[in-house]
Amino acid sequence: RGYHEAISYSFIDARLAQLFDPQTNTIELGNPISSDMSVMRSSLWPGLVQAMQYNEARQRSRIRLFESGLVFYEQEGEWHHHKKLGGLVTGGAYKEQWGQAQRPVDFFDVKADVTALLALGNHAKDVEWREATHPALHPGQAAGIYKNGECIGYLGALHPQLSQQMAITQAVFLYEINW
């Protein structure tokens, strides 16, 4: 499906952590490598968005990235971690070619990618898609991914305010599911 693997640090800027996941208690490092790597990530999205910005600055307009890794959070004084799979899609829906008109990627293109991914593990038939809200996702363009009544992930467009704060000019779609 044209995705490339991204590998990002588990340490991120506290400001980014707050922008993408303000509801989660992040784990602050006692002795960070640098000020922009001062907390443990609670989502894979900040690293994916930074990788997208890096590629976009080098004239790449059609970007499809995925990352699997651990996310960390603090709850009731205890540290927890979970393995997640995240993805980012922006640009054209198809690779550029002369025989097909280009159109921008949309929510349903990315939903098809996630459904195909879930089908690989024979989980697509067990999943229910519900309207959802997430602070990093666009209201009205976000869905929760549920299995057996439990939310296992999210899919949606990057929130316009977040896009503006990060100087992102084109539509960006993100997903993250529990491994």
Side-chain angles (χ1 to χ4, degrees):
R1 292 189 173 259
Y3 283 81
H4 296 276
E5 185 174 14
I7 300 172
S8 60
Y9 290 107
S10 296
F11 316 119
I12 63 172
D13 187 351
R15 183 186 67 83
L16 273 180
Q18 184 64 28
L19 286 174
F20 279 89
D21 199 4
Q23 302 161 332
T24 301
N25 294 331
T26 56
I27 299 171
E28 291 186 37
L29 299 172
N31 189 15
I33 297 170
S34 68
S35 62
D36 63 341
M37 299 178 111
S38 61
V39 299
M40 301 295 287
R41 66 182 176 194
S42 61
S43 171
L44 299 172
W45 292 343
L48 289 169
V49 169
Q50 287 181 315
M52 184 235 19
Q53 288 177 310
Y54 178 88
N55 282 278
E56 200 174 49
R58 283 145 186 83
Q59 309 304 313
R60 306 290 295 165
S61 59
R62 183 178 188 271
I63 301 168
R64 281 159 176 58
L65 300 171
F66 78 93
E67 181 175 11
S68 67
L70 296 174
V71 298
F72 306 86
Y73 61 95
E74 187 241 330
Q75 186 176 28
E76 298 176 9
E78 292 186 24
W79 293 5
H80 300 275
H81 65 277
H82 291 287
K83 190 165 187 180
K84 296 208 175 203
L85 176 70
L88 177 144
V89 179
T90 189
Y94 312 107
K95 288 185 178 180
E96 196 171 318
Q97 58 175 315
W98 66 270
Q100 189 168 23
Q102 191 58 269
R103 68 170 177 79
V105 70
D106 64 20
F107 177 89
F108 296 102
D109 294 322
V110 183
K111 182 181 176 190
D113 290 347
V114 173
T115 301
L117 179 67
L118 292 168
L120 289 173
N122 204 24
H123 298 289
K125 64 183 179 299
D126 302 330
V127 167
E128 182 182 351
W129 297 84
R130 297 182 195 168
E131 186 177 340
T133 58
H134 188 284
L137 300 178
H138 191 299
Q141 292 187 32
I145 307 167
Y146 288 81
K147 183 176 178 183
N148 300 327
E150 179 185 349
C151 184
I152 62 166
Y154 290 95
L155 162 70
L158 186 63
H159 197 289
Q161 290 176 342
L162 197 51
S163 292
Q164 185 179 19
Q165 289 176 344
M166 298 188 75
I168 297 171
T169 57
Q170 61 183 357
V172 174
F173 294 90
L174 301 161
Y175 62 86
E176 188 172 76
I177 54 177
N178 294 342
W179 194 258

